[in-house]
Amino acid sequence: DIQMTQSPSSLSASVGDSVTITCRASQSISNYLNWYQEKPGKAPRLLIYAASSLQSGVPSRFSGSGSGTDFTLTISSLQPEDFSTYYCQQSFTTPWTFGLGTRVEIK
Amino acid sequence: QVQLQESGPGLVRPSQTLSLTCTVSGGSIRRSADFWTWIRHSAGKGLEWIGRISTSGSTNYNPSLRSRVSVSVDTSGTQFFLEMTSVTAADTAVYYCARQKRGEQLYTWFDSWGQGTLVTVSS
């Protein structure tokens, strides 16, 4: 299985800050990488697919980049509703696998 | 916009079978070119893909669970199901159903999810 490693596991930031989350795959996955946001009791939300394509309806402050094994999710100008947990997921090959998540907390 | 909702018992006894239903509204499973998927989130393993079914009925499973898992769809095209046999405490998790969308060049992603249902395995 392809292992997905996210860093950091958690971070503290303030409203208006820009934050970057990193995801590393255990082997090259081209740009077959998706990002999700998860909040307790709510359906997970797709943010980015194919490493850098913004899902319809997702604010433009979210952006993704990367290829091969190293990827980033950037949230520019954090908003109160952005404090949650973020996961990367590889769609290169089955079994599809996820990172362990990055929790973004209010400083 | 398609919506998904999981349902099923919240408590399952060890060694028994876990059975969950996902009800799809706002679209038909049968008329979709996508996959219909089960994913779980546990404290021990994080998010874990369990398996999926296509509109033609073909299935794929996570090798780590293949021997115990079955995904099926009903004839009306509004529900699909998960069965997991011989459950243990390690199967305690929030279970999600989701649509796996197909894009160009084999890109896929989970674009619609249910809210999840907590299943606890305990005697």
Side-chain angles (χ1 to χ4, degrees), chain B residues 28-31 73-79:
Chain B
S28 171
I29 295 172
R30 294 294 186 189
R31 288 197 295 271
V73 64
D74 80 334
T75 54
S76 70
T78 61
Q79 294 182 323

Side-chain angles (χ1 to χ4, degrees), chain B residues 20-22 29-30 36-38 51-54 57-59 61 69-75 78-83:
Chain B
L20 295 176
T21 297
C22 182
I29 295 172
R30 294 294 186 189
W36 303 91
T37 301
W38 289 96
R52 68 179 184 182
I53 190 165
S54 72
S58 65
T59 54
Y61 300 112
V69 168
S70 174
V71 179
S72 59
V73 64
D74 80 334
T75 54
T78 61
Q79 294 182 323
F80 64 104
F81 312 99
L82 171 69
E83 281 205 340

